[in-house]
Amino acid sequence: MPKRIIVLSGRVSAGKSTLADGLSKQFQAHVLKTKDVIEGTAKGGIASERGAMQDYGELLDRKTGGDWVAKALTREMESLSADAVVVVDAVRIVRQVRAIRRAYGSRVVHIHLNAALPILEDRYRRKQRQKDFQEFESYSDVLSNKTERGVDRLAQTADVLIDTERCTREDVVVRAAARLGLYGREHRQLVDVLVGGSYGSEGKGHIASYLAPEYDILLRVGGPNAGHKVYEDPPYIHHLLPSGTRRCNAALIIAPGAVLTVPQFYKKLTNAR
């Protein structure tokens, strides 16, 4: 199974395909284009135009509850190596992202791209010059589609947000690759301790969960806490297990002397991953 699955979302002309192409060229990422999945599913029975693609994608969403992208991803990965990086270009609704997360867990990183409307409109005018794909006459026609108007909601569940109007194409790739750890880094054996400097609710759980994929061991001490609520998808409250348990494959350690509510501990352990 590939080590990383990068899911891209954002409005038309936000820069999704540009980022996917950049990751492919620089890091040999394998790109799965949902446009190609739609064409393959339709078996030649769909026009090469944006309106037809939007309508057919919504039809697949209604039929599968948004699972069709995850299923296509599973088929695609059967022929890929275990160290492959896969980019999904792109998802349009939250249910598509959730289906991929259910299937692949902490391997999934969701990147949402955005830009101001005038920037998107200007980019779209240039996109209209393509000859092999029929675009709408204006960007307002793009937004006449209900699903397309709601794409910005995916930013609420994304792991990374990138404003592409403030970056060059190369900068967007650099920002994404740095967040994904694709450049590599020095690895030394370290023990990092997270301490709150106030009276609780400083965000320790969020930070631990965010950093968890970089560690081999997650450890917690003390007694049951009031609840570290981590805004994953869906949000999850950690009472006894280390925050980040659900975002990585690290070993979990409850330190000697920790206070446990045993029935609750086993219940949380069963539902942790």
Side-chain angles (χ1 to χ4, degrees), residues 2 13 26 38 40 66 95 120 177 193 224 270:
S13 298
Q26 293 192 36
I38 290 174
R95 285 183 297 172
L120 297 174
V193 181
T270 301

Side-chain angles (χ1 to χ4, degrees), residues 89-105:
D89 175 22
V91 294
R92 299 177 69 214
I93 61 174
V94 171
R95 285 183 297 172
Q96 292 174 353
V97 181
R98 287 178 176 169
I100 296 172
R101 288 194 189 277
R102 283 197 303 270
Y104 300 104

Side-chain angles (χ1 to χ4, degrees), residues 66-213:
D67 286 354
W68 62 277
V69 180
K71 291 178 179 178
L73 179 60
T74 298
R75 293 192 298 271
E76 192 80 6
M77 292 196 303
E78 291 177 352
S79 61
L80 300 180
S81 64
D83 62 346
V85 174
V86 182
V87 181
V88 179
D89 175 22
V91 294
R92 299 177 69 214
I93 61 174
V94 171
R95 285 183 297 172
Q96 292 174 353
V97 181
R98 287 178 176 169
I100 296 172
R101 288 194 189 277
R102 283 197 303 270
Y104 300 104
S106 60
R107 291 180 174 84
V108 179
V109 178
H110 175 195
I111 299 178
H112 185 82
L113 307 180
N114 57 33
L117 184 58
I119 300 295
L120 297 174
E121 290 174 334
D122 181 64
R123 292 175 182 171
Y124 190 70
R125 280 191 289 271
R126 283 176 274 160
K127 188 189 292 283
Q128 289 172 316
R129 300 169 189 167
Q130 299 176 1
K131 296 181 179 180
D132 58 342
F133 188 77
Q134 181 65 44
E135 295 286 356
F136 288 117
E137 292 186 3
S138 69
Y139 201 80
S140 60
D141 292 329
V142 175
L143 297 181
S144 65
N145 178 269
K146 182 180 179 180
T147 300
E148 190 62 41
R149 291 198 305 273
V151 162
D152 283 347
R153 288 197 291 268
L154 274 76
Q156 300 172 12
T157 62
D159 302 300
V160 184
L161 300 176
I162 300 179
D163 188 342
T164 62
E165 71 178 276
R166 299 177 182 274
C167 305
T168 65
R169 294 184 175 190
E170 293 75 17
D171 290 339
V172 175
V173 175
V174 169
R175 290 186 63 184
R179 170 61 180 82
L180 295 164
L182 297 179
Y183 289 117
R185 67 184 75 181
E186 178 185 3
H187 286 280
R188 292 179 291 170
Q189 297 294 325
L190 298 174
V191 176
D192 293 327
V193 181
L194 187 60
V195 180
S198 185
Y199 297 97
S201 298
E202 305 97 339
K204 299 186 296 296
H206 294 291
I207 295 172
S209 180
Y210 180 83
L211 296 175

